[in-house]
Amino acid sequence: MKIAGLNLDIIWKNKNENFQLIESHFKNVEADIFLLPEMFSTGFCMDAAEVSDRNEESLIFLKKLSKEKNAAVCGSAPVEQGGHFYNRMYFVQPDSNVSFYDKRHLFSFSGEDKVYTPGKERVIVNYKGMRILLQVCYDLRFPVFARNNDDYDAILYVANWPEKRVGAWEHLLKARAIENLSFVFGLNRIGTDGNNLFYQESSHCFFADGTEISEKKGNIVSAELNLEELKDFRHHFQFLNDRDSYSIHL
């Protein structure tokens, strides 16, 4: 399975321009899954009442792109539903099947927890035989929530993780791959946002042993995820069998 992520310099609060930019970057790219950063349509913005989708604008775009590319498309966007705002990660398949995950761990350092409502469910999607856990940015700092109970093969993290703390981002992505015997693809944005925060290129995909398996060409970062190779690795190193038993209370 090939995943292609876009290191996107998100245009602040401008959905239509971001949609056009994404299409142009992906025009000649082929993949099974196309991955977009956290809040790809607006940037990581706390002005939720201003920027949040009320008419599924971002979802409609993802469905359109998914059909055009005949592939799954995944990324998060601010969404208003039932009087609440969510940082919602969509996974859209070309047959218009939609799964979504609402970001559980809201970034209190920026006030995200004062504006957005946390999700309550851990979400795993099955696509082309690959079991994929959906996670957003700050979730990366909380390994218990992402613990592999032998129920997924890969984690997708989408983020707006500033350059100031990028070392933590890169170390934790590798750690999640090693401890969970899983593929981990972390896609970060690039450029400078409306809060004058800078984001350096720092997207990566790691194999279960911590080996980097991504390739970069321009603003596209891609990786081939070989499920049989992962199964062989897990069969040889059966570390998940020794994991602690616990339950998560949300």
Side-chain angles (χ1 to χ4, degrees):
M1 172 179 288
K2 181 179 179 180
I3 300 180
L6 176 58
N7 290 319
L8 179 64
D9 187 356
I10 303 170
I11 301 169
W12 191 246
K13 296 183 180 181
N14 196 320
K15 295 177 187 179
N16 288 332
E17 286 197 28
N18 284 313
F19 296 160
Q20 293 174 18
L21 190 59
I22 290 164
E23 285 189 308
S24 67
H25 278 297
F26 279 150
K27 184 177 181 181
N28 298 314
V29 180
E30 294 185 2
D32 298 292
I33 299 175
F34 289 87
L35 192 60
L36 299 169
E38 178 183 26
M39 292 198 182
F40 67 87
S41 57
T42 62
F44 187 65
C45 181
M46 297 304 100
D47 299 325
E50 175 186 352
V51 302
S52 292
D53 289 351
R54 292 179 172 84
N55 298 300
E56 298 188 333
E57 302 96 303
S58 299
L59 178 58
I60 289 170
F61 167 73
L62 293 177
K63 286 183 175 180
K64 175 176 176 286
L65 184 61
S66 179
K67 287 184 178 180
E68 288 175 353
K69 306 300 290 186
N70 192 30
V73 182
C74 182
S76 96
V79 174
E80 181 181 7
Q81 181 178 322
H84 296 275
F85 301 109
Y86 299 92
N87 186 343
R88 179 164 291 175
M89 184 177 183
Y90 289 112
F91 190 97
V92 180
Q93 301 184 33
D95 62 359
S96 293
N97 180 282
V98 177
S99 302
F100 69 86
Y101 160 69
D102 291 330
K103 185 179 181 182
R104 170 64 184 170
H105 299 94
L106 301 177
F107 192 44
S108 58
F109 188 76
S110 72
E112 185 182 17
D113 60 321
K114 302 295 192 298
V115 179
Y116 293 90
T117 299
K120 297 180 179 179
E121 303 292 336
R122 207 170 84 135
V123 176
I124 297 170
V125 299
N126 193 314
Y127 184 64
K128 294 190 173 183
M130 186 79 71
R131 300 170 301 169
I132 302 169
L133 176 69
L134 305 182
Q135 299 277 271
V136 180
C137 202
Y138 193 45
D139 287 326
L140 180 61
R141 288 189 179 270
F142 303 94
V144 173
F145 189 64
R147 187 71 173 110
N148 193 349
N149 294 310
D150 202 19
D151 53 359
Y152 68 78
D153 308 303
I155 313 176
L156 299 182
Y157 285 99
V158 297
N160 278 211
W161 198 292
E163 178 268 340
K164 292 180 181 180
R165 296 180 294 277
V166 76
W169 159 258
E170 294 176 331
H171 286 300
L172 291 173
L173 286 173
K174 184 179 288 190
R176 294 297 88 81
I178 294 170
E179 70 194 11
N180 293 301
L181 295 187
S182 300
F183 296 106
V184 170
F185 199 124
L187 182 73
N188 201 8
R189 67 157 292 168
I190 60 172
T192 302
D193 70 11
N195 295 314
N196 204 35
L197 292 172
F198 176 68
Y199 303 82
Q200 73 179 56
E201 195 289 309
S202 54
S203 298
H204 302 276
C205 187
F206 296 105
F207 183 62
D209 62 356
T211 302
E212 172 99 34
I213 60 171
S214 58
E215 297 180 353
K216 298 175 183 180
K217 184 177 181 181
N219 283 353
I220 303 297
V221 53
S222 62
E224 291 281 353
L225 278 55
N226 187 319
L227 186 56
E228 291 306 312
E229 183 180 357
L230 178 65
K231 289 179 178 178
D232 289 343
F233 186 83
R234 286 176 169 177
H235 180 74
H236 186 69
F237 297 106
Q238 299 184 24
F239 302 142
L240 289 178
N241 293 342
D242 301 323
R243 66 189 181 274
D244 295 311
S245 178
Y246 66 89
S247 58
I248 300 175
H249 300 285
L250 301 179

